[in-house]
Amino acid sequence: MLGVEAEQPTEDIAISWDMQVHGWQAYFAPHIRFFMDVPETLPELVKQRRRWDSCIINEIDGCL
C-alpha cells in the first residue's frame, strides 16, 4: 500500500506519513484496543527502542 514495506518495525509511522502526504487524515480513536508483545526486561526495552530509533531515522532520511 502506497509503497510501504510490510513488516518494518516502524511500518505504522511509515504508513501514516505516506497517507498524510497523499491527503489522508488520521484521527485519534480512544475506544480502539489491541494486543501486542512488549519487552519484559529493561535490556529488551533498550534493544527495541534502539531498533525503532534506527528505523525512524531511515524513514526520515527517505523523506528528505
Side-chain angles (χ1 to χ4, degrees):
M1 179 178 122
L2 299 174
V4 176
E5 296 289 328
E7 301 302 322
Q8 296 174 351
T10 56
E11 66 188 25
D12 55 341
I13 292 171
I15 291 169
S16 64
W17 285 350
D18 206 18
M19 289 176 66
Q20 290 178 45
V21 165
H22 288 90
W24 292 62
Q25 292 185 345
Y27 297 96
F28 178 65
H31 60 282
I32 301 295
R33 300 287 184 255
F34 64 94
F35 299 95
M36 61 186 236
D37 294 326
V38 296
E40 296 183 9
T41 66
L42 184 58
E44 289 175 357
L45 176 64
V46 170
K47 182 179 177 182
Q48 177 194 59
R49 295 299 175 164
R50 285 185 178 150
R51 186 176 68 245
W52 285 0
D53 288 349
S54 68
C55 292
I56 289 171
I57 289 169
N58 288 334
E59 292 297 332
I60 292 170
D61 188 41
C63 293
L64 299 179

